[in-house]
Amino acid sequence: NSTSTTGSVTGWPQVAPNGTAYLAYTDEEDAAHLLVLRPGGASSVIDLPGEFVTSNLIVLDAAAIGPDNKVYVPMVGADGNSFVAIVSPTGVVSVRSVDGYPGELPVIASDGTAYQVVATYDEETGVSSTHVVVLNSGATTVSLPGEPIQLSGRTPLLAVAPDGTGLLLVVDRDGS
């Protein structure tokens, strides 16, 4: 099965556990879309409500896909506010606001809980901080001083154990 579209591809094709394939792309007006190819051959395009996040930590994929077939896409709205677009297996799009910049893909735990690392920077004080948003519920962790460590490769900055305990790597601007 195949389909075509015009625009610029923003990441590798990704496949959900149910066999649905997603390809993130932008059109000529830089609007964000997901091209959806279903196992039975049907295809569709999902219009996303913002622009894809750009980051040196998001280079090969534009989304994270959970074991429940939900697709999580970090985005920035026209107003400059960041959010994560959550696409259900049926194609319904909802959004979860995040207070700060989601510079990496969400981390999906084995139980399907999705976590988004978010960085903030106060231009007035020069202070950086990082927190995590639980995308399924909107709960937010305490903000930690520092910013996400810039690691090369595909190492997530957040690791989540089966019991929900997380380890987040951050560094202060002075390198500590």
Side-chain angles (χ1 to χ4, degrees), residues 53-58 74 101-105 116-119:
V53 165
T54 56
S55 165
N56 63 343
L57 297 176
I58 302 176
Y101 193 75
E104 72 170 44
L105 293 177
Q116 180 66 62
V117 175
V118 181

Side-chain angles (χ1 to χ4, degrees), residues 9-15 22-24 59-63 154:
V9 173
T10 61
W12 293 105
Q14 294 174 266
V15 180
Y22 297 89
L23 181 66
V59 287
L60 299 177
D61 298 325
R154 299 184 44 87

Side-chain angles (χ1 to χ4, degrees), residues 20-168:
T20 301
Y22 297 89
L23 181 66
Y25 73 97
T26 56
D27 63 21
E28 296 82 15
E29 288 84 38
D30 287 331
H33 308 279
L34 285 178
L35 176 63
V36 182
L37 301 168
R38 301 214 179 268
S43 66
S44 62
V45 172
I46 297 173
D47 299 327
L48 297 173
E51 296 179 5
F52 294 111
V53 165
T54 56
S55 165
N56 63 343
L57 297 176
I58 302 176
V59 287
L60 299 177
D61 298 325
I65 301 175
D68 56 359
N69 302 299
K70 286 184 182 174
V71 180
Y72 299 87
V73 186
M75 308 203 73
V76 177
D79 59 3
N81 290 325
S82 300
F83 60 92
V84 175
I86 303 168
V87 182
S88 76
T90 60
V92 175
V93 179
S94 60
V95 297
R96 174 70 67 193
S97 295
V98 294
D99 182 22
Y101 193 75
E104 72 170 44
L105 293 177
V107 173
I108 312 292
S110 59
D111 68 355
T113 303
Y115 301 89
Q116 180 66 62
V117 175
V118 181
T120 59
Y121 178 73
D122 185 329
E123 291 184 21
E124 212 171 279
T125 64
V127 174
S128 297
S129 61
T130 303
H131 63 278
V132 177
V133 176
V134 180
L135 297 173
N136 307 66
S137 68
T140 302
T141 65
V142 172
S143 191
L144 300 172
E147 58 192 39
I149 292 176
Q150 303 295 308
L151 297 173
S152 62
R154 299 184 44 87
T155 306
L157 304 178
L158 175 67
V160 180
D163 69 356
T165 302
L167 171 66
L168 175 65

